Amino acid sequence: MGSTLPCSLFCILVCLFGVRCSANSAAAAAAGNETDQLALLHFKAKITNDPFGVLQLWNSSTHFCQWQGITCGRRHQRVVKLELFSLKLEGSISPRIANLSFLRVLDLKNNSLSKEIPSEIGHLRRLETLILSNNSIGGRIPSNISACSNLISFNIGYNQVAGEIPSSLGSLLQLQVFAANRNNLSGTIPSSFGNLSSLERLELTGNVIGGRIPFTLGRLKNLKYFLLTVNKFSGEIPSSIFNLSSIVIFDVGGNELRGHLPSDMGITLPNLKVLTVAFNQFSGSIPVSISNASKLEFLQFPRNNFTGEVPSLENLQRLQVLLLGSNSLGGAGTNDLSFLCSLINATNLGYLNMQANSFGGSLPSCMANLSRTLQTFAVESNKIFGSVPAWIGNFVNLKILSVADNRFSGNLPSIIGKLQNLEILYVSENKLSGEIPHSLGNLTLLTQLTLNQNNFQGSIPSSLGECQNLILLNLSSNNLTGNIPPEVFLLSSLSIYLGLSQNRLTGSLPIEVGNLKNLGVLQVYQNLLSGEIPGSLGSCVRLEILTMQGNFFQGPIPSSLNALRGLKVFDLSHNNFSGQIPKFLGGFVYLLNLNLSFNNFEGSVPIEGVFRNASATSVMGNTNLCGGILDFHLVACHLKTSADRRSSKKARLIVPVVAGALGALLMFSFLFLLRLRKKNQAPEISSVDSLIRVSYQILYEATNGFSSENLINVGSFGSVYKGVLGEGGQSIAVKVLNLQHSKAARSFIAECEVLKNIRHRNLVKVLTACSSIDYQGNDFKALVYEYMVNGSLDDWLHPVVAVDGNHHEPPKNLNFLQRLSIAIDVAFALEYLHNHCETTIVHCDLKPSNILLDDELTGHVSDFGLAKFLLKDLNGSAIHSSSVGLRGTIGYAPQEYGLGGEVSPHGDIYSYGILLLEMFTGKRPTHEMFKEDLNLHKLAKSALPDRVAEILDPLLVERVESETSINDCLISIIGIGVACSVESPGERMDISDVTLKLCSIRNKLLRN
């Protein structure tokens, strides 16, 4: 008995203790469960939009461990994973998430969450994975995340997080992934990151982080992905980093790094697959050891200062991309290209670019054995000689072949016609001779062909007419003879350039030239062409440069050329033209250079427009001209009397009479010219030398006292009125600034500053400005523009409807082709502002109401009140010269502007993308249907490619559904709109590409 009692008591106590412990555990678990449930409900409350209804199922009808996106631990039924990715959730992250104390995984990537990362996340001591990438999160990285000592993966890529990287994060010894690419991070990489001994991925691409790369990163022995692309890093890369043998991707492109690459880097980095040092300031030679990195697939060195020979790459059998362009490689030696023979085992090589170096020698025959997968072969701007080899025909997958600006000689092999995937062929600026191969007509996908500045002979092959996708053709500066084949002028796709100048072409300009309705530049100067200018040339309404000098053309300038209102350069000099100079040339407001010299023109020289500027106009060598401005030094014009036509004998009898008459006539002429000069100082339109001078009174009378009947539009900084200068005078549009608006005056100054520096046929023309005092003694500022009779694009896309449901005026409607042409007009204007002005100009407020339409429905971009100049400092970096602090209109302004991002051409591209989508869907970006997560960009993107007709403007649906070709074009257009309006600025299309693609679509549409 004595021995059993303690045992029995012990068992009872153990049982009692066990029950008590189980009860306490259950109570604790229940409390923990309640805490987790409340934390999840707080998280749900911060989500403002849940388009898939996932969180609607988070309710008391089911246990929270069964809610979608939730994973609980088996033992305690506490939340260990919260995974709600790719659900288009909007809202913010609740700080109460910190109460999920057992949480190990928080994955919210691919949503539209905003605001900041809650600092309370630092309380999640068990957290291992934090993924918030591809949202709209701003703020800074909380420094107390360093308390999450178990953190393995940290990914906040593709957000708007700013500020410096906290140095405290260097204590996360378990961290394997630190990804913060595509944010607005600044400062430097903390040297404490050298303590992250487990780190495998360091991704900081697309920020503004600068300074030197810390040498402490050389301690990261497990590092595989080292991506610092497109930042502001400077100095040399620490040598210790080149000893990290685990690195697979090494990308430091787009920085300001300098120095030499280590000679043994191919040995110390044996696992490399990607090596990119492009767009930096590296110098020295390419390391010979690079071939030892046999796993390399991408080797990218362009835009540096590398010199010397390219070493053998024979062990790089996996190589797909080799970019060496824009360095100083080679020495014009005969063996400079021998390294190409070492690439014959790279069976996946697709891109080989060596342009803009100093490579000499000839293309080695071993290249015939290179990979048939080659798509790009570019060696332009080197010193390569010899022939263009016939084996080039082996590369049937080539899309780009550029051998321009070298010393190639001999014939262009006809086998080049086998490259039927070729899109770009540049062979200009060489010493090639013989005839242009007829086989080029087989290259039906060609968009650009340059054969200029060679010694080609014979006639232009008519087979070029088969290249129906050409947008640029340059055959100038050769020895071509014969007539211009009409087939060339049947290439309606030509939109950028057609160059036939400086040859020995004969015959007349074919009447088919009128097919080139979209051509921007036509040059046929210095040939042996003759005959008259065909009237059909007036159909080429998009011409900006037309040069025909140095031929034997004759006859008058046809009146049909009055339609070429976009001309900037017009040269007819050194021909046999006759007749009078057409007055309509004085109305070409964009004309910067007019040369009519050394012809047989007669009569008076106009005094309007370009004719007022002797430095922009030349009429010398026309002996029968008179009048014009005094700088032309021509005789005054006068009418011949009957006395002038009498016989010399009779004339001698009345010399006194004639002398007296002439004296009177001279006096009259003097008074007439004096009066004429005074008259020319009166208000009158001048596109070159001066602006019309207007006062408040003149504008007040022109607009009938700024009456509401003349009101056209009301904008952010003022109102626009229609007016007429004088009785029967020119129609104008007057923008009166509302100077009570704090930024209106700055807008006025900005618009004046922009408009005085730009001239383009798709930009609205400012006639003058007025800064004066009104009748009440208040400051008055106004801008005067050409009046656009067809109003704004907004008027056509969204006609005003009266309360009774009727239109105030006959309903306006733009057909498919008209909308596309207007879109191209706007693209041309943006391309000019971004790429062709002396200083890049960003419009900052592109929208339909700022696109005005003339009588031919040609689009003109207007309203530069928010524009910015992007100046350059001494280092070539952008300096933003601002006009006004505002940055566009809601719906059209890109997201980065609202978050304080710098103004850039990418912002205009975003606005253009939204504008393009609006033009073809008929929906404003502020349409009431766009709520929560849905916007115009996402609507269009979701419809591609099969459901585009569902989102189309109803006015276009019928024709699109009935014509497959139009539907295909529409898909391409919507695709461009989507590509322009993506969230990330760097991923948006370039405006030059937009212009090319839209012109190509229109050409395809016209052909069909």
Side-chain angles (χ1 to χ4, degrees):
M1 290 290 294
S3 62
T4 59
L5 179 60
C7 179
S8 300
L9 289 171
F10 176 78
C11 292
I12 292 170
L13 289 173
V14 168
C15 291
L16 291 173
F17 184 79
V19 169
R20 176 177 289 180
C21 288
S22 298
N24 288 342
S25 297
N33 288 345
E34 183 179 356
T35 300
D36 282 8
Q37 183 173 355
L38 287 174
L40 292 174
L41 292 175
H42 278 288
F43 176 88
K44 175 183 176 180
K46 288 289 186 178
I47 301 302
T48 58
N49 186 24
D50 175 20
F52 297 120
V54 172
L55 302 187
Q56 294 178 13
L57 301 177
W58 284 20
N59 53 55
S60 58
S61 63
T62 56
H63 192 276
F64 65 83
C65 288
Q66 297 176 350
W67 293 350
Q68 183 172 337
I70 303 300
T71 302
C72 292
R74 293 181 180 179
R75 182 179 179 188
H76 299 295
Q77 293 293 291
R78 301 291 300 275
V79 177
V80 296
K81 292 183 181 181
L82 175 54
E83 298 171 299
L84 295 171
F85 48 84
S86 303
L87 296 175
K88 299 185 177 182
L89 299 176
E90 292 183 14
S92 59
I93 303 172
S94 170
R96 296 290 187 92
I97 201 170
N99 292 336
L100 300 175
S101 55
F102 279 73
L103 195 66
R104 296 198 304 269
V105 175
L106 177 59
D107 188 349
L108 302 175
K109 63 176 176 284
N110 300 335
N111 285 293
S112 297
L113 299 173
S114 56
K115 295 190 177 179
E116 68 283 339
I117 303 171
S119 60
E120 288 80 359
I121 286 181
H123 299 153
L124 297 174
R125 304 305 170 91
R126 292 181 173 88
L127 194 64
E128 298 175 358
T129 300
L130 175 59
I131 303 178
L132 305 175
S133 55
N134 200 18
N135 279 281
S136 300
I137 298 171
R140 295 171 175 261
I141 300 176
S143 60
N144 67 345
I145 286 182
S146 60
C148 302
S149 57
N150 292 305
L151 198 62
I152 296 174
S153 180
F154 178 78
N155 190 337
I156 58 169
Y158 294 89
N159 281 285
Q160 285 90 44
V161 180
E164 298 187 4
I165 301 172
S167 60
S168 60
L169 301 188
S171 64
L172 298 173
L173 301 184
Q174 305 300 319
L175 196 65
Q176 297 177 15
V177 176
F178 185 86
N181 43 307
R182 300 289 182 179
N183 278 280
N184 298 314
L185 295 173
S186 56
T188 61
I189 298 177
S191 59
S192 62
F193 268 38
N195 299 326
L196 302 177
S197 55
S198 300
L199 197 65
E200 297 180 2
R201 303 176 70 104
L202 178 60
E203 301 182 14
L204 298 173
T205 296
N207 285 281
V208 286
I209 305 171
R212 292 178 175 267
I213 299 172
F215 72 92
T216 55
L217 298 187
R219 305 172 190 162
L220 306 180
K221 302 302 182 183
N222 293 304
L223 195 63
K224 295 180 180 179
Y225 301 94
F226 185 59
L227 290 90
L228 307 183
T229 324
V230 191
N231 277 283
K232 294 184 178 297
F233 292 108
S234 58
E236 298 186 3
I237 299 176
S239 58
S240 58
I241 293 178
F242 291 105
N243 292 322
L244 299 177
S245 60
S246 57
I247 291 182
V248 175
I249 297 179
F250 188 104
D251 191 343
V252 294
N255 283 284
E256 300 165 13
L257 296 167
R258 54 183 173 82
H260 294 188
L261 297 181
S263 59
D264 61 348
M265 70 175 298
I267 299 172
T268 58
L269 300 175
N271 293 302
L272 269 185
K273 290 185 178 181
V274 175
L275 174 59
T276 299
V277 297
F279 295 87
N280 278 286
Q281 301 165 24
F282 289 106
S283 56
S285 58
I286 296 175
V288 174
S289 66
I290 202 70
S291 186
N292 292 83
S294 58
K295 297 179 182 179
L296 268 172
E297 298 175 4
F298 293 78
L299 189 55
Q300 302 177 137
F301 289 160
R303 295 291 181 94
N304 281 284
N305 300 311
F306 289 111
T307 56
E309 296 182 357
V310 179
S312 170
L313 306 173
E314 61 182 338
N315 294 327
L316 305 185
Q317 298 181 15
R318 302 182 184 182
L319 199 62
Q320 300 176 30
V321 175
L322 176 60
L323 306 182
L324 304 173
S326 299
N327 283 284
S328 298
L329 295 167
T334 56
N335 295 319
D336 284 350
L337 301 177
S338 59
F339 74 94
L340 293 172
C341 296
S342 66
L343 294 171
I344 59 177
N345 293 322
T347 56
N348 293 316
L349 188 64
Y351 301 89
L352 179 55
N353 189 320
M354 308 182 300
Q355 65 185 26
N357 279 285
S358 297
F359 291 120
S362 58
L363 296 178
S365 58
C366 62
M367 283 190 65
N369 299 315
L370 288 182
S371 171
R372 300 298 182 268
T373 62
L374 198 63
Q375 295 184 40
T376 296
F377 180 59
V379 294
E380 66 185 79
S381 300
N382 280 286
K383 300 174 183 178
I384 303 172
F385 53 81
S387 61
V388 177
W391 46 254
I392 201 75
N394 294 347
F395 303 115
V396 293
N397 288 304
L398 269 183
K399 293 183 178 180
I400 299 175
L401 174 59
S402 177
V403 298
D405 190 16
N406 279 285
R407 301 171 184 175
F408 288 103
S409 57
N411 296 346
L412 187 64
S414 61
I415 198 170
I416 208 166
K418 289 181 59 179
L419 306 179
Q420 296 189 20
N421 289 305
L422 210 58
E423 297 176 5
I424 294 177
L425 175 59
Y426 294 153
V427 296
S428 56
E429 298 182 68
N430 280 286
K431 300 179 180 179
L432 296 169
S433 57
E435 295 190 350
I436 298 174
H438 286 265
S439 62
L440 291 183
N442 298 331
L443 307 180
T444 56
L445 298 181
L446 267 186
T447 60
Q448 300 182 49
L449 173 61
T450 66
L451 304 175
N452 53 295
Q453 291 181 256
N454 280 285
N455 192 31
F456 287 113
Q457 300 151 12
S459 58
I460 299 173
S462 60
S463 61
L464 291 180
E466 300 298 320
C467 302
Q468 292 289 313
N469 288 297
L470 274 178
I471 59 175
L472 182 151
L473 174 61
N474 194 346
L475 306 179
S476 60
S477 300
N478 282 287
N479 287 311
L480 298 172
T481 56
N483 295 344
I484 304 173
E487 288 82 359
V488 171
F489 292 117
L490 293 175
L491 291 171
S492 58
S493 57
L494 285 171
S495 57
I496 296 179
Y497 184 87
L498 174 58
L500 304 173
S501 57
Q502 293 182 302
N503 283 286
R504 291 186 291 141
L505 299 170
T506 56
S508 60
L509 196 63
I511 193 173
E512 287 82 1
V513 69
N515 289 286
L516 305 181
K517 294 180 172 60
N518 299 309
L519 187 63
V521 179
L522 174 60
Q523 296 188 319
V524 295
Y525 63 88
Q526 293 184 20
N527 277 286
L528 304 174
L529 298 171
S530 58
E532 297 187 357
I533 296 178
S536 60
L537 184 60
S539 298
C540 305
V541 293
R542 294 192 176 273
L543 275 177
E544 295 187 2
I545 297 177
L546 175 58
T547 54
M548 306 175 68
Q549 68 269 25
N551 283 284
F552 298 98
F553 289 113
Q554 61 188 39
I557 299 176
S559 59
S560 62
L561 298 197
N562 186 30
L564 305 184
R565 295 274 167 171
L567 277 181
K568 296 178 180 177
V569 177
F570 188 27
D571 195 336
L572 300 180
S573 62
H574 294 276
N575 278 286
N576 296 316
F577 289 110
S578 58
Q580 292 195 334
I581 297 175
K583 291 185 178 180
F584 62 71
L585 293 176
F588 283 16
V589 295
Y590 302 110
L591 199 54
L592 301 176
N593 190 308
L594 173 63
N595 195 341
L596 304 175
S597 59
F598 298 99
N599 281 285
N600 298 313
F601 290 114
E602 60 184 25
S604 61
V605 176
I607 59 173
E608 303 297 328
V610 71
F611 292 102
R612 289 191 171 194
N613 188 345
S615 63
T617 304
S618 177
V619 294
M620 68 176 64
N622 292 277
T623 57
N624 294 318
L625 287 177
C626 62
I629 61 174
L630 297 178
D631 290 341
F632 289 149
H633 304 292
L634 299 174
V635 299
C637 299
H638 64 276
L639 297 175
K640 290 186 178 181
T641 66
S642 59
D644 297 322
R645 296 188 291 270
R646 293 174 183 172
S647 66
S648 60
K649 181 178 179 181
K650 189 172 183 180
R652 283 195 298 270
L653 296 177
I654 57 171
V655 166
V657 178
V658 173
L662 287 175
L665 183 61
L666 286 174
M667 180 62 70
F668 175 80
S669 298
F670 175 77
L671 294 174
F672 176 78
L673 288 173
L674 184 62
R675 186 175 182 181
L676 182 62
R677 292 183 65 183
K678 290 182 179 180
K679 181 181 178 181
N680 286 340
Q681 295 173 1
E684 188 172 28
I685 303 301
S686 169
S687 64
V688 179
D689 280 338
S690 62
L691 299 172
I692 57 176
R693 298 177 182 177
V694 293
S695 63
Y696 173 79
Q697 179 181 354
I698 290 175
L699 296 182
Y700 185 87
E701 294 173 352
T703 59
N704 193 21
F706 303 108
S707 70
S708 58
E709 295 178 355
N710 286 17
L711 184 64
I712 300 174
N713 190 23
V714 178
S716 302
F717 299 134
S719 303
V720 182
Y721 299 86
K722 180 184 177 181
V724 178
L725 285 177
E727 290 189 17
Q730 180 177 4
S731 295
I732 57 173
V734 184
K735 180 179 179 180
V736 179
L737 278 295
N738 175 16
L739 297 180
Q740 293 182 355
H741 194 296
S742 60
K743 294 175 180 175
R746 292 173 61 190
S747 171
F748 174 77
I749 295 171
E751 193 152 8
C752 290
E753 187 67 23
V754 172
L755 292 171
K756 79 176 185 181
N757 287 286
I758 58 175
R759 297 174 63 86
H760 190 275
R761 57 194 172 87
N762 294 123
L763 299 177
V764 70
K765 184 179 186 298
V766 64
L767 301 179
T768 191
C770 178
S771 182
S772 183
I773 304 295
D774 65 17
Y775 290 154
Q776 283 74 43
N778 301 315
D779 285 341
F780 174 84
K781 296 185 186 298
L783 291 161
V784 182
Y785 303 93
E786 284 182 319
Y787 177 67
M788 296 290 171
V789 296
N790 274 312
S792 73
L793 177 60
D794 191 79
D795 298 334
W796 289 77
L797 296 179
H798 312 289
V800 177
V801 179
V803 177
D804 58 4
N806 297 320
H807 293 274
H808 288 304
E809 55 186 19
K812 298 177 178 179
N813 182 28
L814 296 169
N815 63 35
F816 191 93
L817 186 58
Q818 288 170 328
R819 297 183 195 217
L820 178 55
S821 294
I822 294 169
I824 292 173
D825 292 335
V826 178
F828 275 133
L830 281 188
E831 185 177 25
Y832 169 77
L833 294 172
H834 293 177
N835 301 330
H836 300 296
C837 291
E838 183 176 351
T839 302
T840 297
I841 297 173
V842 183
H843 186 276
C844 291
D845 198 18
L846 199 66
K847 55 185 178 182
S849 60
N850 286 340
I851 310 301
L852 304 183
L853 306 178
D854 62 17
D855 55 349
E856 296 179 350
L857 289 177
T858 298
H860 300 260
V861 176
S862 70
D863 198 343
F864 288 83
L866 301 183
K868 279 198 173 188
F869 289 96
L870 298 190
L871 307 175
K872 297 287 184 180
D873 62 17
L874 295 177
N875 297 317
S877 300
I879 302 174
H880 300 271
S881 177
S882 177
S883 58
V884 183
L886 296 178
R887 296 178 175 180
T889 301
I890 294 175
Y892 301 95
Q895 188 174 29
E896 65 264 22
Y897 287 4
L899 297 169
E902 291 290 353
V903 165
S904 75
H906 297 306
D908 279 355
I909 299 298
Y910 178 90
S911 302
Y912 180 82
I914 297 299
L915 171 69
L916 188 62
L917 296 176
E918 181 177 355
M919 289 178 68
F920 287 89
T921 64
K923 296 178 177 64
R924 299 183 191 271
T926 54
H927 191 281
E928 61 182 10
M929 71 177 291
F930 298 129
K931 297 178 180 178
E932 300 174 346
D933 186 56
L934 186 63
N935 57 32
L936 184 54
H937 167 85
K938 293 179 180 179
L939 174 72
K941 184 178 180 180
S942 66
L944 287 171
D946 300 325
R947 297 188 296 106
V948 167
E950 297 177 13
I951 65 170
L952 190 62
D953 188 331
L955 297 174
L956 298 176
V957 169
E958 182 177 352
R959 187 174 178 193
V960 170
E961 290 181 343
S962 63
E963 297 187 32
T964 303
S965 61
I966 294 184
N967 187 57
D968 292 340
C969 291
L970 177 65
I971 292 172
S972 300
I973 292 168
I974 297 299
I976 292 171
V978 169
C980 288
S981 56
V982 294
E983 186 173 302
S984 175
E987 295 179 3
R988 294 169 195 157
M989 287 184 69
D990 185 88
I991 191 60
S992 297
D993 295 333
V994 172
T995 304
L996 290 177
K997 289 183 180 296
L998 289 179
C999 286
S1000 178
I1001 293 169
R1002 181 172 61 184
N1003 295 336
K1004 176 182 177 182
L1005 189 64
L1006 292 172
R1007 284 199 303 273
N1008 290 332

